[in-house]
């Protein structure tokens, strides 16, 4: 791992344990060499008076401005109903999660145009109270988090330089045409926990380098079409999907992680070639209604099929033929919670799954 990046798991201990800091369920990579600050709350961890005594920078009274991160302001979990006044212009990292903010006017960030991170999770922000030009001047913004609010649409006028947009657990029912049109740098988009029923053509247009797309915990009944082909991680668990067509994954030449657990998938709705994608590394089909093991590529390494209704172990699902170079690269296979018994597996399974590390039955 590059030593310039530190992978910080968002776990909280001690007096901060009551605060929600999941940031949409995906951890953040922190680059200390860029001066990126801690993503853990400072609330009740250090004396605000000490901050003010040693830091000569102006700081809103409701917030903490630690001297070790002079461009970061922590205003999280303060019971705020509006944005603090007097945000210093050098501010690059602004933490406002865990408040009761509903309204953000057009000039809310007029003096904070250097913002790189804006964290607004767990507030009460309404789409109708977001001004259309709110983010217009935030040309340096790369991370915008508005998880767990009351949005009914994707905010408009988003800055072109955004790399992460997290809108999980809102009330978004439909994506407006062109909502992401200019976001050619966006690599991560979280839309899980909304009320999306379909993804229309053009809804995600413009997302040319998107890597991770999370549409879990929505109301999707069919596998969405018109997704960006650049996606490498696609999460669709906890929807109401019943199947996949043969061309559902066509064009996803870089897709590596596909999570379809907790749906209503049935073998009758799965085309035999639905998962014929050699780039796939991990496939999650757990907690569905499958009665047979679907056909998967021999290059797949991790397959999760726990808690279905599978009654037979079919070697041909993993290997069409077996030989010196014809075998499955599977490392972990989960079949627990089905109607299988280890001692009843066909004897030739070990020739197909010869590099398997763990099997759960």
């Amino acid at each position: 791992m590059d030593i310039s990046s530190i992978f910080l798991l968002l776990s909280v201990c001690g007096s901060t344990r009551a605060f929600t800091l999941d940031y949409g369920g995906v951890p953040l990579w922190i680059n200390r060499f860029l001066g990126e600050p801690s993503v853990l709350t400072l609330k009740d961890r250090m004396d605000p008076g000490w901050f003010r005594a040693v830091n000569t920078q102006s700081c809103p009274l409701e917030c903490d401005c630690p001297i070790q991160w002079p461009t970061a302001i922590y205003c999280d979990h303060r019971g705020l109903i509006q944005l603090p006044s007097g945000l210093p212009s050098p501010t690059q990292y602004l933490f406002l999660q865990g408040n009761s903010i509903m309204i953000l006017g057009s000039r809310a960030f007029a003096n904070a145009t250097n913002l790189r991170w804006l964290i607004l999770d767990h507030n009460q922000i309404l789409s109708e109270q977001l001004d259309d030009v709110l983010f217009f001047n935030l040309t340096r913004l790369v991370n915008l988090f508005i998880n767990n609010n009351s949005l009914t649409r994707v905010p408009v006028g988003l800055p072109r330089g955004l790399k992460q947009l997290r809108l999980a657990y809102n009330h978004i029912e439909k994506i407006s045409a062109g909502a992401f049109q200019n976001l050619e740098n966006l690599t991560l988009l979280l839309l899980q926990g909304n009320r999306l029923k379909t993804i229309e053509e053009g809804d995600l247009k413009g997302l040319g380098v998107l890597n991770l797309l999370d549409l879990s915990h929505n109301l999707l009944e069919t596998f969405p079409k018109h997704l960006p082909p650049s996606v490498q991680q696609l999460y669709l668990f906890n929807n109401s999907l019943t199947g996949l067509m043969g061309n559902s994954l066509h064009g996803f030449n870089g897709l590596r992680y596909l999570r379809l657990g907790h749906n209503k998938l049935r073998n009758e709705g799965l085309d035999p070639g639905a998962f014929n994608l050699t780039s796939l590394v991990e496939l999650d089909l757990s907690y569905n209604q499958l009665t047979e093991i679907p056909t998967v590529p021999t290059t797949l390494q991790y397959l999760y099929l726990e808690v279905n209704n599978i009654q037979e172990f079919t070697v041909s699902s993993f290997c069409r033929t077996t030989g010196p170079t014809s075998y499955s690269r599977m490392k972990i296979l989960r079949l627990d919670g089905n109607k299988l018994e280890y001692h009843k597996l066909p004897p030739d399974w070990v020739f197909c799954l010869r590099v398997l590390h763990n099997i759960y039955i």
Side-chain angles (χ1 to χ4, degrees), residues 31-32 49 57 65 74 105 113 116 128 133 173 196 231 240 247 254 272 301 325 327 333 339-340 350 352:
N31 191 326
R32 295 299 189 204
Q57 299 283 344
C65 303
Y74 294 81
T113 56
R116 298 187 71 245
E128 53 267 29
V133 297
E173 297 182 356
L196 295 170
V231 169
S240 297
N247 62 354
Q301 298 181 34
T325 59
Y327 60 91
L333 175 58
K339 300 176 181 179
L340 295 169
V350 293
C352 169

Side-chain angles (χ1 to χ4, degrees), residues 346-359:
D348 57 341
W349 77 269
V350 293
F351 299 107
C352 169
L353 300 169
R354 65 183 70 169
V355 298
L356 193 67
H357 293 180
N358 297 97
I359 184 171

Side-chain angles (χ1 to χ4, degrees), residues 151-163:
L151 299 178
T152 54
R153 60 176 173 85
V154 176
V156 300
L158 296 173
R160 187 181 296 269
L162 268 187
K163 293 184 177 179

